[in-house]
Amino acid sequence: MNPSTRSISDALGAYLAEPHADVRRKVLDLLRTPAFQIPLEIERAEHRARVLEALTLLADEGLGSLAYPEDYGGQGAPGKAIAVFETLAFGDSSIVIKFGVQFGLWGGSVYQLGTEKHHERWLGKIGALELPGCYAMTEIGHGSNVRGLETTATWNDEAEAFVLNTPHEGAGKEWIGNAALHGQMATVFTQLRVGGEDHGVHALVVPIRDEDGALLPGIRIEDNGPKVGLNGVDNGRIWFDEVWVPRENLLDRFATVTENGRYESPIDSAGRRFFTMLGTLVAGRISIAAASLSAAKVGLEVAVRYSEERRQFGPDDGPEVPILDYTSHQRRLLPRVAETYALHFAVRDLTERYATVVKGRAGDRPGHGGTGAEEADANGAGGEMAEPGSRPEGRSDEALREIEARAAGLKAVASWHAARALQESREAMGGRGYHAGNRIGRLRADTDVFATFEGANPVLLQLVAKSLLMQYREEMGDLSVLDIVRYVADRAGTRVRERNPVATRRTDSDHLRDPEYHLQAFEYRAERLLESAARRMKGLLDDGMDAFDAFNRVQDHLETLAVAHTEWITLRAFLDGVAEAPEDVRPLLADVARLYALERMEADRAWFLEAGYIESPKSRAIRAEVGALCRELRENARVLVDGWGIPDEVLGAVDVVGKS
């Protein structure tokens, strides 16, 4: 790489590392050490032991408690915590997931759902890894339906304690990280019953092992055994049989039970109370989106580097050429690089928005920035249809509602993008892509579950669409579904009909590369889909169909709407990132943004044609412009992937990647 190119790559890397570049450097230094260089072929028991060793080192460095308050060993810095999680995801995936289970899900639930007495008792020990624990939400029989969980906690007046029970085998807690080996306590989500009344899902801290690792009475645990990936994480199943839990172990930030057995909550509505509790999981979705991008970056950098070194075929009587010179190869990799950049800026923007809102909410204790319901449906964050913004009176704010919806959409889009990018990277390397040493196969296996944990992606997309239909109401019950749909249809329809007919036919390059045109196209698609979804639902409701069936009938439409909306906010964040970039890298990033926008339009050109937003000649021109941008960016492909700042020691085997 020549000096001028290296200079641009370094400037790009410095820009992308912000904010929290110091924390990222610290994690990258750790990833270079032997403790974090876990062999590709390793027995499951040894893998788990090595992951626990790495986790201990992270705790010793104070990286697990960054989002906790200073009083408990942290810095009150959720943005830094997400930066740690994101950077760790360049390395062994089991380490980052174990990190999320311990410090995010387990510690985060105590911090988010508990009160000062819980923080003082447990939070410091959790951050220091002196108290390993679990987050036990998902059940075998109910999975994503958190509200329908069947584990019960029944108040006993005489003992002033709760009696925890698993009513049948299918109600056991499933895929619980840290459960099979290391967890000593667990945050257990149960149906709370007090005085014969069911108060819905609440969380209790339940001891499950003693300090010597022996199971406590009434606790039964099974190891989930080998998985497709993430075998360094000790997932297990848990059942409870007449387990007595003291009253003070109820995480009572949103509800409590008094000494005389009276249930009290500042939130009158059981539905609002439930969704408020689950709303604390938003940081997890941001974290999984960030980790998905880290995995995609590793795969794409390996593939681009290899494609610059691997030569095959060429002109008659001439030398063979790098395979990245071939149009089809550029088409395979460079749009995925561009999409990774776009999502990078979208996730970074969302992280900073989230951190700002967290710090600005006086008296609030929002989620652990690295919590990531990193563990599941593989650990049970679930695909709950929580309505974004459901909050106690006086705490609702529009910024947090928007953040919750964005987090759901970006988690879905980013995790699917990682799966596609890793597959394209594998295929782009031909037979070498099948070599374990390049880590792509391991990353595919480890991150495949990202599409279903922290909420299954289709369910999260429905949450996004629902939030768009209901963004002006705290709960659906405040207004009839018919009124909401009618309002949205009228609002969206006014904007959607404002379309410039000349723009449907323009095919010149200046127009096609204009970021304002890209923004208008993405906004039009999102608004048009919102209007048409509302109108379809209105028609079904007018015909007498109930709300559930109406939502179900247009479910595919709602998911398409959510993706379109997420791509729109992604493009906006990317263009903001371009505008704020240093002058020496701004032109390059601007071209990457153009490729992202036009390739996404090309991928969905059937919709744009059907909607009459473009005509056939323009569709062909967009396709040609994507090819032209790929050819232009080919010379900077290595600069773009090197800008992600992944250490060579982490990428993969030298003989496979072909580093230079």
Side-chain angles (χ1 to χ4, degrees):
M1 187 176 291
N2 64 56
S4 63
T5 302
R6 172 61 66 187
S7 176
I8 295 175
S9 180
D10 290 345
L12 184 58
Y15 179 51
L16 296 178
E18 295 295 343
H20 315 307
D22 55 337
V23 169
R24 298 179 196 278
R25 281 193 298 270
K26 188 173 185 178
V27 175
L28 290 174
D29 287 342
L30 288 171
L31 291 180
R32 293 183 175 98
T33 64
F36 288 79
Q37 299 286 312
I38 296 179
L40 292 169
E41 293 188 3
I42 187 172
E43 293 293 330
R44 188 165 75 250
E46 184 183 355
H47 195 179
R48 290 174 172 182
R50 290 285 301 271
V51 167
L52 182 62
E53 176 189 353
L55 203 67
T56 302
L57 294 174
L58 292 166
D60 291 345
E61 293 289 336
L63 295 172
S65 55
L66 283 172
Y68 304 161
E70 293 182 9
D71 290 346
Y72 310 106
Q75 297 181 20
K80 287 186 177 182
I82 292 176
V84 171
F85 192 86
E86 176 185 356
T87 311
L88 279 174
F90 288 142
D92 185 275
S93 301
S94 289
I95 294 175
V96 73
I97 296 305
K98 184 89 163 179
F99 178 93
V101 170
Q102 172 65 24
F103 304 118
L105 292 174
W106 161 227
S109 61
V110 171
Y111 176 39
Q112 298 160 4
L113 302 178
T115 49
E116 187 174 352
K117 61 180 179 291
H118 304 116
H119 301 164
E120 291 184 352
R121 185 176 178 187
W122 294 312
L123 210 52
K125 293 181 180 180
I126 294 171
L129 198 56
E130 296 172 6
L131 184 60
C134 312
Y135 183 89
M137 180 181 279
T138 291
E139 294 179 357
I140 298 169
H142 274 76
S144 294
N145 182 16
V146 178
R147 203 166 188 173
L149 297 181
E150 296 179 277
T151 302
T152 60
T154 304
W155 174 254
N156 183 288
D157 277 320
E158 293 184 7
E160 294 187 6
F162 301 98
V163 184
L164 195 64
N165 269 302
T166 304
H168 58 86
E169 194 75 5
K173 297 297 181 180
E174 173 74 302
W175 289 115
I176 309 304
N178 269 354
L181 287 178
H182 302 136
Q184 294 179 12
M185 304 187 82
T187 295
V188 181
F189 290 81
T190 76
Q191 299 288 350
L192 191 71
R193 296 174 177 172
V194 181
E197 186 176 353
D198 194 334
H199 294 282
V201 176
H202 291 65
L204 293 89
V205 173
V206 182
I208 59 175
R209 286 186 176 90
D210 63 24
E211 292 183 358
D212 296 324
L215 292 178
L216 295 174
I219 305 292
R220 177 162 63 95
I221 295 180
E222 290 182 0
D223 195 321
N224 276 120
K227 306 184 288 288
V228 171
L230 299 176
N231 280 300
V233 182
D234 54 320
N235 296 89
R237 293 172 166 174
I238 310 177
W239 293 265
F240 306 94
D241 182 16
E242 298 289 313
V243 176
W244 292 73
V245 182
R247 183 180 67 88
E248 59 267 22
N249 283 28
L250 174 68
L251 295 177
D252 58 356
R253 178 180 172 191
F254 301 120
T256 191
V257 175
T258 65
E259 291 182 4
N260 59 4
R262 186 173 70 252
Y263 178 86
E264 296 179 350
S265 173
I267 310 172
D268 293 335
S269 164
R272 179 176 291 173
R273 186 165 55 243
F274 172 73
F275 291 127
T276 298
M277 177 183 67
L278 294 186
T280 61
L281 297 173
V282 63
R285 291 175 181 153
I286 303 173
S287 298
I288 288 296
S292 297
L293 296 183
S294 294
K297 289 172 182 177
V298 171
L300 288 166
E301 180 159 7
V302 169
V304 166
R305 285 188 173 201
Y306 179 81
S307 300
E308 286 204 326
E309 299 295 323
R310 178 72 165 96
R311 294 173 179 270
Q312 188 164 294
F313 307 115
D316 293 341
D317 301 322
E320 291 190 311
V321 301
I323 59 177
L324 194 54
D325 285 353
Y326 290 103
T327 299
S328 61
H329 216 74
Q330 295 168 8
R331 276 285 200 151
R332 165 165 270 164
L333 293 176
L334 296 182
R336 302 290 73 78
V337 170
E339 188 171 2
T340 303
Y341 265 86
L343 289 166
H344 170 100
F345 283 101
V347 171
R348 193 63 50 86
D349 174 72
L350 179 59
T351 301
E352 292 310 296
R353 288 172 183 261
Y354 172 73
T356 299
V357 169
V358 164
K359 292 174 182 177
R361 295 174 72 85
D364 220 1
R365 295 183 305 278
H368 181 319
T371 102
E374 289 86 8
E375 195 42 27
D377 277 0
N379 187 46
E384 69 282 346
M385 279 296 289
E387 295 169 15
S390 297
R391 289 288 182 271
E393 295 298 334
R395 294 181 60 235
S396 174
D397 84 39
E398 186 176 345
L400 191 53
R401 283 198 296 270
E402 183 180 0
I403 286 169
E404 289 175 342
R406 286 192 182 199
L410 281 171
K411 181 269 179 182
V413 170
S415 57
W416 275 332
H417 165 68
R420 290 193 301 268
L422 289 168
Q423 183 64 26
E424 291 286 10
S425 298
R426 207 296 296 161
E427 293 184 27
M429 293 178 67
R432 273 300 190 183
Y434 206 60
H435 195 293
N438 61 50
R439 296 188 56 227
I440 293 176
R442 170 68 65 83
L443 284 169
R444 283 191 308 175
D446 285 345
T447 60
D448 183 65
V449 73
F450 285 12
T452 46
F453 61 51
E454 193 41 62
N457 285 353
V459 179
L460 292 184
L461 292 178
Q462 292 166 51
L463 187 155
V464 175
K466 198 172 183 181
S467 75
L468 293 172
L469 289 167
M470 302 168 59
Q471 57 191 303
Y472 297 104
R473 310 302 303 179
E474 282 293 317
E475 286 194 17
M476 194 169 181
D478 292 341
L479 195 66
S480 74
V481 176
L482 182 58
D483 287 341
I484 293 168
V485 169
R486 184 178 292 123
Y487 172 76
V488 173
D490 291 344
R491 170 183 170 272
T494 301
R495 300 183 66 185
V496 165
R497 282 187 285 273
E498 296 172 357
R499 186 181 66 195
N500 183 354
V502 176
T504 65
R505 293 186 288 273
R506 284 189 64 181
T507 60
D508 58 284
S509 184
D510 286 345
H511 165 68
L512 293 178
R513 295 190 179 205
D514 182 359
E516 287 301 318
Y517 168 66
H518 303 153
L519 278 173
Q520 291 167 7
F522 278 48
E523 181 179 15
Y524 176 86
R525 179 178 55 164
E527 291 286 352
R528 171 83 176 242
L529 284 165
L530 179 62
E531 175 201 9
S532 55
R535 291 188 181 280
R536 281 185 65 191
M537 288 183 59
K538 180 178 181 299
L540 295 170
L541 294 166
D542 286 347
D543 289 341
M545 185 176 290
D546 67 34
F548 176 86
D549 289 337
F551 269 96
N552 187 45
R553 182 69 62 86
V554 302
Q555 203 168 56
D556 56 340
H557 194 147
L558 296 177
E559 291 176 18
T560 301
L561 161 63
V563 171
H565 179 79
T566 302
E567 289 185 345
W568 177 30
I569 64 173
T570 296
L571 178 60
R572 284 160 45 194
F574 194 1
L575 292 176
D576 287 344
V578 172
E580 296 167 5
E583 290 185 10
D584 50 351
V585 300
R586 193 180 304 151
L588 176 59
L589 285 177
D591 279 343
V592 177
R594 292 182 178 103
L595 177 57
Y596 167 71
L598 287 174
E599 193 275 337
R600 289 292 81 203
M601 289 184 68
E602 179 191 30
D604 206 16
R605 62 186 181 275
W607 184 90
F608 284 105
L609 284 164
E610 288 179 356
Y613 193 77
I614 63 175
E615 295 182 357
S616 295
K618 187 162 190 170
S619 176
R620 292 191 292 270
I622 289 172
R623 184 171 65 245
E625 206 67 36
V626 169
L629 282 164
C630 285
R631 289 191 295 274
E632 293 168 23
L633 287 170
R634 182 262 177 270
E635 295 305 316
N636 283 306
R638 178 67 181 270
V639 172
L640 290 170
V641 296
D642 281 357
W644 292 327
I646 309 169
D648 284 356
E649 299 91 333
V650 175
L651 280 175
V654 174
D655 65 323
V656 176
V657 178
K659 298 181 179 69
S660 61

